């Protein structure tokens, strides 16, 4: 499978400017030769505006519709994340679109770390994965992509690729490299993670960007530069659709 990961420059002062950048990035990624099968965007829709007056949308709002339409226009699968309007707290949501622009997977955050707890609601429902033409894909939003239990949940359910769409929290390059390498190797699954960046600009929100593509052996095959908009591309290898073997994972852990 060929994937394209967008490290998106966001403008916390302008929702429309950020969305237009996302659309241009999708166009640039999709028109590459060879074209990607899957384009992944970060959790950019108002997760970059951490104020009470942030304008939050629903799961089928304008931002998601625009990304789905772009996926359909290019005939690619696409993933994105955003902060969904909800009470008493907003929810962080990851979405997978198919080649027709339809919502194939809507995945809320399940396990919030310290930086997100109390700011966003968490879901009690099981994490899901979905079969598409490319294989069986799971989408983990923000803190879930670094959580071992979240990986175990979706891999046990048969996920062959783990997609991460992040942006609400900040993490260092070293920390994400260590965590993703360990998890990909432990579970034998590749992962792709798209993050947003403010490109070093001063302001209330600062994000460096830690977008990555990681193979199932834990090797990091593509890394975005910090404080820069970027598009990463790579050909990744999905494992067979056989059920995950807990004993095999345990032996991998013992080898580390």
């Amino acid at each position: 499978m060929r994937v394209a990961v967008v490290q998106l420059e966001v403008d916390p002062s302008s929702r429309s400017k950020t969305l237009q950048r996302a659309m241009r990035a999708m166009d640039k990624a999709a028109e590459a030769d060879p074209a990607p099968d899957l384009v992944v965007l970060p959790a950019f829709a108002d997760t970059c505006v951490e104020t009470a007056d942030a304008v939050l949308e629903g799961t089928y709002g304008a931002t998601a519709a625009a990304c789905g339409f772009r996926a359909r226009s290019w005939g690619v699968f696409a993933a994105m994340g955003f902060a969904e309007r909800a009470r008493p707290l907003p929810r962080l949501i990851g979405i997978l679109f198919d080649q027709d622009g339809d919502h194939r997977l809507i995945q809320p955050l399940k396990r919030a770390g310290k930086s997100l707890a109390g700011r966003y609601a968490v879901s009690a429902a099981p994490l899901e994965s979905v079969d598409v033409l490319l294989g069986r894909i799971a989408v983990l939003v923000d803190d879930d992509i670094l959580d071992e239990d979240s990986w175990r949940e979706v891999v046990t359910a048969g996920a062959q690729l783990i997609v991460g769409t992040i942006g609400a929290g900040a993490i260092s390059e070293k920390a994400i490299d260590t965590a993703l390498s360990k998890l990909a190797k432990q579970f034998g699954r590749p992962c792709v993670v798209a993050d947003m960046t403010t490109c070093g600009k001063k302001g209330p929100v600062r994000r460096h960007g830690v977008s990555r593509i990681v193979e199932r052996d834990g090797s990091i095959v593509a890394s975005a530069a910090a404080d820069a908009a970027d598009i990463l591309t790579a050909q990744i290898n999905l494992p067979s659709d056989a059920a995950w073997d807990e004993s095999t994972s345990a032996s991998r852990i013992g080898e580390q």
Side-chain angles (χ1 to χ4, degrees):
M1 178 197 303
R2 189 161 188 83
V3 296
V5 173
V6 175
Q7 181 155 293
L8 180 68
E9 180 184 1
V10 297
D11 184 342
S13 68
S14 176
R15 302 174 73 249
S16 60
K17 185 178 292 185
T18 297
L19 179 58
Q20 289 304 313
R21 286 174 179 167
M23 297 300 95
R24 289 195 296 269
M26 287 189 75
D27 290 344
K28 185 176 180 179
E31 69 185 5
D33 186 16
D37 302 298
L38 170 69
V39 178
V40 182
L41 294 164
F44 69 92
D46 277 349
T47 59
C48 60
V49 182
E50 298 171 347
T51 61
D53 59 351
V55 179
L56 304 182
E57 299 179 8
T59 303
Y60 294 90
T63 299
C67 292
F69 179 79
R70 234 17 172 246
R72 179 176 179 174
S73 296
W74 287 103
V76 298
F77 290 84
M80 65 163 289
F82 69 103
E84 182 189 43
R85 182 176 61 248
R87 299 248 182 222
L89 292 172
R91 300 194 306 166
L92 289 175
I93 300 289
I95 298 177
L96 177 69
F97 301 98
D98 64 18
Q99 294 166 308
D100 293 323
D102 295 327
H103 293 58
R104 287 302 307 274
L105 180 62
I106 301 170
Q107 184 62 69
L109 175 72
K110 184 169 184 177
R111 297 177 174 93
K114 291 181 180 179
S115 66
L116 299 184
R119 292 169 49 205
Y120 294 98
V122 294
S123 172
L127 293 171
E128 299 181 67
S129 58
V130 63
D131 283 313
V132 296
L133 293 175
L134 304 176
R136 191 166 184 85
I137 298 177
V139 177
L140 300 181
V141 63
D142 271 285
D143 287 345
D144 282 343
I145 193 62
L146 301 177
D147 182 80
E148 182 176 335
D149 288 335
S150 295
W151 275 64
R152 180 175 289 106
E153 193 171 339
V154 295
V155 171
T156 301
Q160 297 168 275
L161 172 66
I162 314 298
V163 171
T165 175
I166 66 177
I171 184 172
S172 70
E173 293 180 83
K174 182 178 180 180
I176 199 165
D177 287 347
T178 300
L180 292 180
S181 292
K182 176 183 179 294
L183 289 165
K185 184 177 181 181
Q186 176 180 339
F187 292 100
R189 297 296 188 273
C191 68
V192 294
V193 178
D195 192 13
M196 65 187 193
T197 176
T198 49
C199 289
K201 294 182 176 67
K202 294 182 179 180
V205 177
R206 294 288 297 274
R207 294 289 184 270
H208 298 296
V210 291
S211 303
R212 298 290 188 268
I213 299 176
V214 186
E215 260 294 3
R216 55 182 175 167
D217 63 358
S219 60
I220 299 173
V221 297
S223 303
D227 295 312
D230 202 357
I231 297 176
L232 309 177
T233 59
Q235 187 77 26
I236 57 174
N237 301 303
L238 301 190
S240 69
D241 59 0
W244 178 60
D245 185 348
E246 182 89 36
S247 64
T248 302
S249 177
S251 67
R252 284 197 183 109
I253 296 171
E255 292 169 358
Q256 295 179 16

